Amino acid sequence: MEPPVRLASTGTIIHGVSVGEVLGVSTLAEARLIAGESGLGRIVQRLNVMEVPDILAWVKPHELLLTTGYPLRNTPQSLGRLVADLDERGLSALAIKLGRYVDELPGEMVEQADRLGFPLILLPNDVGFDDILNQVLTDILNRQAAVLARAEEAHRALVQVVLAGGGLNEVAAEVAQLLDVSVAAVDGSGRVLATAGPAEHVAVLRESIIQEGPPRTPASGRARSFASVPVLAGGHHHGRIVAYSPSGAIRDSDVGILERAATVAALVVTRQEAVNAVESKYRADFLRDVLTGRAGTAERVTARARAFGWDLARPVTVLVAELDPDGDERSAQDRLVACWTAAMRRHDPRGAVAGFSHEVVAVVDASIDASRVAKDAASAFADVPPATFSTGSSRPSPGAETLPEAYSQALKAARVGRQLHGPGAVAHFDQLGVYRLLSLVNDTDELHAFVRETLGPLAADADAENADLRRTLQVLLETNLNVAETARRLHFHYNTLRYRIGKLERLLGNFTDDPHLRLNLTLALHVLRMRGI
């Protein structure tokens, strides 16, 4: 039988034996259980001798208390309350010698012990406390040494798995063999990364994970069907190791081995993360060179891309996902890359994807609906608010040599789309209309000068009245100078709007009769909407 184990709050493994096993040692062969038979499974981890009446101040949980009753010889009525007090403090059992100082135990004490499942043991008069202490403590220490030796052996086996280059699958298989259980390694989002054990038992384990984890762990020392321990490394929670035994044979000592397996799993996870980080840097550096035209000939780009599992020789579309402002950029960027990588894996496994400083660039087959890929990534990214991203899509690119131009288009589409539609926008370069033409003007100073010259005092936001007049001008132009419709949209009286039109013409010129001036005003308002691009 596997010895009971308790995990102390300090992390030290403290082993013990049950009260029933204590009664089996040779020095207690003549001992007799008086009451509390249902508590024979209580764990004994230490022993104590009752020498003073105020023993309650000195007892500790999981103790077997030995007494002759001497401290209570003058107050036998105290025995009636003793069982409840000891049980409340977590003691395992009380063993007493009768006849010398206390002749018999009160009926109330026996009844209370049976009700609480607190074992009362009658000790033989010819057995010394020192013999009991020596035998029981020796038994506890021997059990502890055996369990620790088993744990060390398991640890060596698990470490050897890592040294041999094994991953989570191999760690799970080793744990399943060591403990004769089914095992699953689960990441922080609840996704099962590796399993081991009979298929039907693994299916039960997966179901428990889907239902938000295994049932609550029972009290220390009791067997269980499920056990779960976290995988921690570098202050980060990377998931957990979960075990299942259909016979309910997982004990605390097995949990100790699972904790060692979790430590080894953390090594595997951090090792893989380091490898992924290096590979991601190489992928990002290469894709950045491709998109900026510094990667060499199309043949060289195609060959190197193939080494990453990318196909850049076919017609493709470039997508740029750029984080919207006001988010936690560092943590959001990692999630953004993960979401886009997962989305690309589902829609186009041969497509390229890499994360840059504050954006993710994806190169997807031109025959695939780019907006669906963006929405898929956005759906996963939205699971952890409040960060959002805007996505821009390029025209189809026939080959690697035109990817820099496609990247520029996608980047402009993302930024213009955000300006026009707000955070989280998805925009295609060809759908930007006049904004596409304006975005191609590299001299933004010239654009801003055009706005100031055309709109005059209405170009600035410092004066609230001017900003209000600019809104009136915008609606007028949108309605093709329909005064009645403009008044309805702005909730103005017709005469009020006529007064405003007169004021606008004094500021800007006779735009109601000059179509060229109306065109300039419309373009200036469009440029103003693209502020910051």
Side-chain angles (χ1 to χ4, degrees):
M1 177 179 176
E2 184 63 36
V5 179
R6 179 177 69 86
L7 297 180
S9 60
T10 60
T12 304
I13 301 178
I14 303 174
H15 306 276
V17 295
S18 67
V19 175
E21 290 175 309
V22 169
L23 289 173
V25 301
S26 59
T27 54
L28 295 178
E30 302 299 324
R32 182 167 60 88
L33 182 68
I34 302 174
E37 183 177 1
S38 63
L40 289 178
R42 293 187 180 218
I43 302 304
V44 178
Q45 294 170 341
R46 55 179 67 86
L47 290 86
N48 199 353
V49 177
M50 185 175 181
E51 297 178 333
V52 292
D54 59 340
I55 187 63
L56 295 177
W58 307 100
V59 297
K60 297 177 181 178
H62 302 287
E63 278 187 346
L64 170 61
L65 185 61
L66 308 176
T67 183
T68 60
Y70 177 78
L72 304 173
R73 66 191 186 283
N74 297 322
T75 55
Q77 66 274 13
S78 300
L79 289 171
R81 299 190 302 271
L82 185 60
V83 167
D85 291 337
L86 295 178
D87 179 71
E88 183 180 345
R89 285 162 176 77
L91 266 72
S92 302
L94 174 66
I96 188 169
K97 287 186 178 183
L98 296 178
R100 187 169 183 180
Y101 301 108
V102 176
D103 292 330
E104 62 179 4
L105 299 179
E108 176 191 354
M109 182 179 184
V110 175
E111 292 176 4
Q112 194 172 56
D114 277 328
R115 186 172 65 255
L116 296 173
F118 184 84
L120 289 179
I121 301 170
L122 178 61
L123 296 174
N125 288 324
D126 59 346
V127 176
F129 284 173
D130 57 338
D131 293 331
I132 298 174
L133 291 168
N134 285 336
Q135 276 203 353
V136 176
L137 287 175
T138 298
D139 198 7
I140 291 173
L141 292 175
N142 287 340
R143 297 292 185 87
Q144 177 171 327
V147 173
L148 288 176
R150 177 176 178 248
E152 286 298 325
E153 181 181 353
H155 184 71
R156 283 194 296 271
L158 291 167
V159 170
Q160 188 58 42
V161 168
V162 178
L163 294 178
L168 289 177
N169 284 315
E170 289 73 19
V171 171
E174 187 68 27
V175 174
Q177 182 178 354
L178 286 169
L179 302 181
D180 192 22
V181 296
S182 296
V183 179
V186 185
D187 67 10
S189 63
R191 184 166 59 99
V192 176
L193 303 176
T195 59
E200 62 274 19
H201 298 167
V202 170
V204 174
L205 191 55
R206 285 181 178 273
E207 184 64 25
S208 76
I209 293 168
I210 293 173
Q211 295 173 354
E212 298 185 351
R216 184 169 178 159
T217 300
S220 176
R222 300 181 187 175
R224 70 206 72 170
S225 295
F226 290 91
S228 176
V229 296
V231 176
L232 303 173
H236 298 287
H237 188 283
H238 294 280
R240 52 199 170 106
I241 300 291
V242 188
Y244 166 65
S245 170
S247 61
I250 301 176
R251 303 195 67 86
D252 286 351
S253 57
D254 299 328
V255 175
I257 292 177
L258 285 176
E259 288 176 336
R260 297 192 178 219
T263 301
V264 173
L267 292 175
V268 173
V269 170
T270 51
R271 180 188 65 187
Q272 188 59 46
E273 285 184 346
V275 172
N276 291 342
V278 173
E279 291 182 350
S280 295
K281 182 180 184 304
Y282 278 119
R283 285 195 296 268
D285 288 347
F286 171 64
L287 188 57
R288 184 183 288 108
D289 287 344
V290 172
L291 298 177
T292 54
R294 299 198 304 263
T297 63
E299 293 77 12
R300 184 170 182 271
V301 168
T302 301
R304 287 196 60 188
R306 194 177 296 115
F308 290 116
W310 301 341
D311 183 1
L312 301 185
R314 54 186 175 164
V316 293
T317 300
V318 176
L319 298 171
V320 171
E322 192 175 50
L323 284 172
D324 294 322
D326 304 326
D328 183 354
E329 188 167 317
R330 177 174 296 181
S331 61
Q333 177 66 14
D334 293 338
R335 288 195 292 112
L336 187 64
V337 174
C339 291
W340 271 90
T341 301
M344 287 291 290
R345 191 183 299 121
R346 288 188 290 270
H347 292 274
D348 185 10
R350 295 188 301 156
V353 60
F356 296 164
S357 59
H358 62 286
E359 67 188 36
V360 172
V361 179
V363 182
V364 63
D365 191 324
S367 63
I368 294 175
D369 185 352
S371 63
R372 289 185 57 194
V373 182
K375 289 177 182 177
D376 190 358
S379 176
F381 192 73
D383 289 343
V384 189
T388 59
F389 64 87
S390 297
T391 307
S393 175
S394 74
R395 294 169 173 169
S397 171
E401 62 277 359
T402 57
L403 283 176
E405 181 183 356
Y407 170 63
S408 177
Q409 293 170 359
L411 189 60
K412 288 176 180 176
R415 295 179 178 177
V416 174
R418 180 192 294 115
Q419 290 294 117
L420 299 180
H421 308 297
V426 179
H428 192 286
F429 184 72
D430 281 341
Q431 297 171 345
L432 299 180
V434 69
Y435 296 103
R436 186 182 81 207
L437 298 177
L438 293 174
S439 70
L440 295 176
V441 179
N442 294 323
D443 191 350
T444 56
D445 290 338
E446 185 62 32
L447 283 176
H448 295 158
F450 172 75
V451 171
R452 290 192 299 271
E453 293 168 3
T454 306
L455 294 178
L458 302 189
D461 293 326
D463 190 308
E465 182 181 359
N466 286 338
D468 193 31
L469 284 172
R470 188 173 69 229
R471 169 64 178 158
T472 302
L473 174 64
Q474 181 175 332
V475 177
L476 270 170
L477 294 173
E478 288 175 355
T479 61
N480 197 25
L481 302 183
N482 187 323
V483 178
E485 175 62 16
T486 302
R488 187 189 65 79
R489 289 193 190 182
L490 296 176
H491 307 288
F492 287 160
H493 189 275
Y494 184 86
N495 291 334
T496 301
L497 184 58
R498 296 300 310 179
Y499 168 77
R500 283 180 168 246
I501 293 174
K503 191 170 184 178
L504 284 169
E505 290 198 315
R506 287 193 295 272
L507 289 171
L508 305 173
N510 189 18
F511 64 88
T512 57
D513 294 325
D514 187 345
H516 296 291
L517 178 55
R518 288 200 298 273
L519 175 61
N520 287 343
L521 290 172
T522 301
L523 286 175
L525 289 172
H526 284 323
V527 172
L528 210 54
R529 288 192 68 186
M530 295 174 59
R531 186 177 299 159
I533 300 176

